[in-house]
């Protein structure tokens, strides 16, 4: 009676209700079954991918799996089959009872990427109960028996699930010749609900739709199989599992086991991004999908676009600029690095007020995006902060730095400008021109300075090469015949 | 100037059209028009710049000139171009034009509406069975040296021997030249056009150097093949040409004629000369190691080195260490190279976690180290004492009013000798505590971010070793109101800062932004931002920004 109740729920429910009903049914079946095996098996869980929103993925137009029939299939036996004859607890999840699949059975790369990317493999709706382990080991069927289409497949959009007419029907008492009018025999294994979840017996046997959106990927199964790359090498040990789900789809880290080389003449298993990923007409990767935006995984040169990516990205980009250019256009980068509008993700609100302290702290480093003497200096000159503003426009009584006794004169007090210059000269250059410095640091006499030596200790031993290759900065403060240049010549 | 602009636009358009034969190509037109209005208040509270800016960009691109769709690893040609105008209607009279009779507000280098060609190049990829790539025209490069732009050609050859070779040459993009900005020059030299009256009167601004072309070339060797490891060696040299002033004060007796009394040098000389290497390697299950350095051949020092080590702690978390060593270097024409004494360095530990597909967290914490030659906190007292200011009264006078001029004239000058003694110039490290936190949370129709930071020095303000403090956070969010058509964004932030050298400028700021965005048609989008900021220094400040962006790519 309880089992029958379960079927009534399935038959009358819509949408997700059938799923709940399926779970309840399974629970009840398991609890009430007299068979010792069934009594020991935990309640089967729904297939992991069954929770995906069907609306998020379009139905495949050329699916080999029967779509919901316009006309109900001819059901020879609408009554439920006794549970003693059919154990439906198998084939609902990779591991009986929904346990975790051992890592060594999972596709290579699973340790680095626990679940397949939604962007590459959009969520699926797998409404088939199927036991791979039984078919492979007990029934001695090879992968090719059901997935023969893979051996000729050159596109990721090809449907590689078995055509039931030529596969399932060979053993199961059912006839899928006409998907719109499937006929079932008298054997329990031929009933729709033997394999199809959500079979609506009350509606003439309609079955729930299998939804397998096209992967956003280039994939040539035939090429892989020709090179004797077995199914397990990408999909893991499916022969040890019951239901194969989205979890058994390949991981990029696994692909890299073979696709580990990029560039010309590196064989067929190229590692270039465009070998597998979809591209825009520009040749850059397509990164926007209905399921989200494609971003690099954490393990790929640590290029994950984490919240601290702004602070970290220079190290990754500096080591391999082509990695960034795989997805990003020049515009994307220059909007910040050569932009004219303050990037909000870099500089927060009220940046104009706080940027002097930020520049002093060198955080972020101004020179990453700005030319100090023009971008910074021009604005500072116009607002009267920088000294090089013409004297007539210099506002009287306004001083940016501490008083001269602390800032410029000897002795070097804790507030002396020399400490600031030693620590972070970029901040000085954002306002000051060479003349400001030469006023004191140029040699006395013809160069017009006060002879205050700004050079670090040991400079005389290091100035030779610079002087030979470009004497100009030396000659700003020293005349050409200055004896002190002798050590640099 | 105008001729150059028309010529460049014409050449680009002509190239695009010429490269578009009867067969179909993929083309793309992009454009932005950005209007902004805001005020910049001086550090003393008055409004000094009323900025009313209109920025517009136009991008044209034609892809797959070889015909057909893009095919990976097949020969591929494209033409890409982007131009920009950045007009500031707030530039006051006399700021951008030089008049010797009234130069009180003149700021050399400022122009009303500079136009620049951001990039314009022809590109070929995967030629000769994937061996050869090239780019010709104004282009960007990005490597361990950072961002750079030049006009010229680049050839990239990928060999079968796990190496790729790259060579490029041309002219560095420099401010003051037609259709160019100064963004990509080496730091430290104030350059620009000296047009009209300024050309003859340049001696009024001896630090403002006339721009001239800068020949440049570079070489690179890059690893190819194994994806798990990558390294790139780079070398680049840029030359300065043309005349430049040396002495900053006029001495007509030694300078040549027509120079206003200023001495000059001219001819080919080094602008920058660097080599660098950057590498990265990863094991997907373990982590990533990367690092690099830049060596300045002109000055003979490592100007930057960095390294990072990341471990994947489980499937959803990464822990790591980042370090950087940085020594600012400048154009070889600049005297600022002589003023840098010490590098700064930073070391950060980081944790990044992704508890779910929607939530990402990161935390960085560590220190930034500043070095000085000597201890700022005790230097002055020691220098005064060494100079002979023996009594407390004398010492106090020395510290308050500086060294008396009579001491400078003394011989031997003990104040000077103290300063030049290596014993007194032992490195002193001033550490800053630095931390960043970031959180991203996304939902189906929007997302929210939190970014917070603190950087603070230690010790008393009077010690000279405390570099101040800045801390704060920003929360931003964006929500689709009508998915695909209308969004509403917002941002709230609060920051506070303290600068020991300018304690009167401490403040706490609060600001918010409201930003609706609408996409009435597929190829166009309109965004408006209203920004309101407030702090005690400037009171209330407002900014409004409108952005129209289009992208047409049939």
């Amino acid at each position: 009676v309880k089992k029958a109740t379960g079927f009534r729920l399935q038959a009358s429910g819509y949408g997700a209700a059938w799923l709940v009903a399926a779970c309840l049914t399974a629970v009840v079946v398991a609890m009430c079954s007299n068979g010792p095996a069934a009594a020991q098996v935990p309640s089967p869980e729904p297939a992991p991918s069954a929770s995906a929103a069907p609306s998020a993925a379009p139905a495949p137009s050329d699916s080999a799996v029967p779509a919901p029939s316009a006309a109900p299939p001819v059901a020879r036996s609408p009554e439920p089959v006794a549970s003693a004859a059919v154990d439906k607890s198998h084939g609902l999840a990779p591991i009986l009872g929904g346990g975790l699949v051992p890592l060594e059975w999972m596709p290579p790369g699973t340790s680095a990427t626990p679940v397949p990317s939604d962007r590459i493999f959009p969520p699926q709706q797998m409404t088939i109960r199927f036991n791979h382990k039984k078919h492979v080991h007990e029934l001695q069927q090879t992968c090719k028996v059901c997935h023969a289409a893979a051996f000729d497949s050159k596109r990721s959009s090809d449907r590689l699930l078995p055509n039931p007419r030529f596969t399932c029907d060979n053993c199961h008492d059912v006839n899928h010749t006409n998907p719109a009018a499937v006929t079932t025999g008298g054997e329990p294994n031929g009933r729709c609900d033997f394999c199809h979840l959500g079979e609506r017996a009350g509606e003439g046997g309609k079955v729930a739709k299998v939804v397998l959106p096209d992967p956003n990927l280039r994939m040539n199964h035939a090429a892989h199989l020709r090179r004797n790359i077995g199914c397990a090498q990408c999909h893991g040990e499916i022969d040890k599992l019951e239901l194969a789900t989205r979890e058994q789809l390949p991981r990029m880290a696994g692909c890299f086991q073979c696709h580990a080389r990029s560039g010309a003449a590196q064989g067929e298993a190229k590692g270039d991004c465009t070998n597998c990923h979809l591209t825009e007409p520009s040749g850059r990767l397509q990164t926007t999908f209905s399921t989200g935006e494609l971003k690099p995984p954490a393990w790929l040169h640590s290029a994950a676009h984490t919240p601290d990516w702004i602070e970290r990205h220079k190290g990754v980009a500096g080591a391999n600029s082509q990695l960034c250019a795989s997805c990003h256009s020049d515009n994307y980068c220059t909007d910040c690095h050569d932009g004219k509008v303050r990037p909000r993700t870099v500089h927060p609100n009220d940046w104009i007020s706080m940027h002097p302290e930020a520049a002093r702290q060198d955080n972020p480093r101004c020179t990453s995006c700005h030319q100090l003497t023009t971008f910074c200096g021009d604005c500072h000159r116009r607002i009267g902060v920088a000294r090089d503003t013409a004297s007539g426009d210099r506002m009287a009584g306004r001083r940016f730095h501490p008083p001269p006794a602390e800032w410029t004169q000897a002795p070097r007090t804790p507030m002396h400008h020399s400490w600031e210059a030693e620590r972070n000269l970029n901040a000085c250059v954002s306002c000051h021109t060479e003349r400001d410095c030469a006023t004191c640091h140029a040699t006395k006499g013809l160069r017009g300075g006060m002879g205050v030596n700004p050079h670090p200790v040991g400079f005389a031993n290091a100035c030779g090469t610079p002087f030979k290759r470009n004497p100009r900065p030396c000659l700003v403060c020293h005349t050409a015949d200055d004896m002190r240049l002798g050590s640099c010549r | 100037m105008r001729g150059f602009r028309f010529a460049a636009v014409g050449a680009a358009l002509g190239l695009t059209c010429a490269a578009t034969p009867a067969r179909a190509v993929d083309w793309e037109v992009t454009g932005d028009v950005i209007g902004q209005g805001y005020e910049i208040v001086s550090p003393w509270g008055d409004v000094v710049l009323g900025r009313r800016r209109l920025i517009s960009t136009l991008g044209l691109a034609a892809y797959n000139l070889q015909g057909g769709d893009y095919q990976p690893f097949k020969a591929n040609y494209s033409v890409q171009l982007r131009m920009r105008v950045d007009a500031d209607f707030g530039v006051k009279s006399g700021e951008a034009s030089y008049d010797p009779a009234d130069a009180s507000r003149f700021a050399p280098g400022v122009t009303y509406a500079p136009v620049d060609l951001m990039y314009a190049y022809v590109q070929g990829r995967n030629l000769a069975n994937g061996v050869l790539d090239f780019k010709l025209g104004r282009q960007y490069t990005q490597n361990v040296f950072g961002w750079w732009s030049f006009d010229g050609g680049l050839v990239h050859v990928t060999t079968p021997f796990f190496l790729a070779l790259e060579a490029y040459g041309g002219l560095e993009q420099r401010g003051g030249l037609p259709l160019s900005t100064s963004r990509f020059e080496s730091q430290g030299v104030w350059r620009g056009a000296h047009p009209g009256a300024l050309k003859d009167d340049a001696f009024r601004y001896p630090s403002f150097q006339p721009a001239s072309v800068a020949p440049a070339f570079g070489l690179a060797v890059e690893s190819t093949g194994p994806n798990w490891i990558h390294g790139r060696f780079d070398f680049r040299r840029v030359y300065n040409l043309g005349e430049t002033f040396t002495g900053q004060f006029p001495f007509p007796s030694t300078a040549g004629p027509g120079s206003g009394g200023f001495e000059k040098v001219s001819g080919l000389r080094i602008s920058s000369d660097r080599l660098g290497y950057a590498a990265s390697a990863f094991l997907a299950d373990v982590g990533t190691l990367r690092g690099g350095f830049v060596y300045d051949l002109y000055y003979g020092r490592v100007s930057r080195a960095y390294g990072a080590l990341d471990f994947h702690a489980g499937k959803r978390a990464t822990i790591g260490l980042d370090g950087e060593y940085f020594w600012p270097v400048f154009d070889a024409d600049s005297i600022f190279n002589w003023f840098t004494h010490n590098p700064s360095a930073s070391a950060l530990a980081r944790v990044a976690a992704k508890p779910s597909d929607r939530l990402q967290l990161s935390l960085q914490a560590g220190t930034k180290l500043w070095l000085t030659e000597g201890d700022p906190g005790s230097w002055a007292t020691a220098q005064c004492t060494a100079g002979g200011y023996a009594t407390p009264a004398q010492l106090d006078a020395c510290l308050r009013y500086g060294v008396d001029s009579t001491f400078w004239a003394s011989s031997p000058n003990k104040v000077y000798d103290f300063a030049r003694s290596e014993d007194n110039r032992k490195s002193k490290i001033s550490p800053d505590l630095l931390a960043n936190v970031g959180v991203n949370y996304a939902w189906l129709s929007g997302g929210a971010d939190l970014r917070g930071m603190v950087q603070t020095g230690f010790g008393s303000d009077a010690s000279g070793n405390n570099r101040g403090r800045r801390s704060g956070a920003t929360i931003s969010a964006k929500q689709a109101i009508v998915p695909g058509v209308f969004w509403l964004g917002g941002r709230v932030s609060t920051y506070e800062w303290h600068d020991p050298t300018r304690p009167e400028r401490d403040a706490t700021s609060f600001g918010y932004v409201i930003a609706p965005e609408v996409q009435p048609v597929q190829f166009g989008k309109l965004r408006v931002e209203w920004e309101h900021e407030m702090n005690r220094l400037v009171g209330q400040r407002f900014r409004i920004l409108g952005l129209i962006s289009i992208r047409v790519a049939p």
Side-chain angles (χ1 to χ4, degrees), chain A residues 66-74 176 178-182 192 203-209:
Chain A
S69 309
V74 178
H176 285 89
N178 181 0
V182 176
C192 302
E203 294 181 27
K206 285 183 179 176
V207 296
K209 196 172 185 176

Side-chain angles (χ1 to χ4, degrees), chain A residues 402-477:
Chain A
E406 293 180 83
W407 187 248
T408 52
Q409 297 173 4
R412 292 164 67 185
T413 68
M415 294 295 169
H416 200 269
H417 78 278
S418 60
W419 308 120
E420 295 303 312
E422 286 187 27
R423 288 166 173 148
N424 183 9
L425 193 63
N426 280 339
C428 309
V429 181
S430 68
C431 285
H432 293 283
T433 63
E434 292 184 334
R435 184 165 58 178
D436 297 336
C437 306
T439 301
C440 294
H441 291 293
T443 53
K444 294 177 181 176
L446 293 179
R447 280 294 175 259
M450 296 170 65
V452 180
N453 184 353
H455 297 305
V457 173
F459 177 80
N461 299 324
C463 62
T465 300
F467 183 78
K468 285 173 190 156
R469 307 190 74 195
N470 187 346
R472 189 265 169 188
C474 307
L475 299 176
V476 171
C477 294

Side-chain angles (χ1 to χ4, degrees), chain B residues 420-437:
Chain B
R420 300 306 301 177
S421 166
E422 285 193 39
D423 293 338
N424 300 324
R425 285 180 171 252
K426 290 174 183 167
S427 290
K428 166 72 179 177
I429 297 174
S430 308
D432 275 2
L433 170 70
L434 174 62
N436 298 306
V437 61

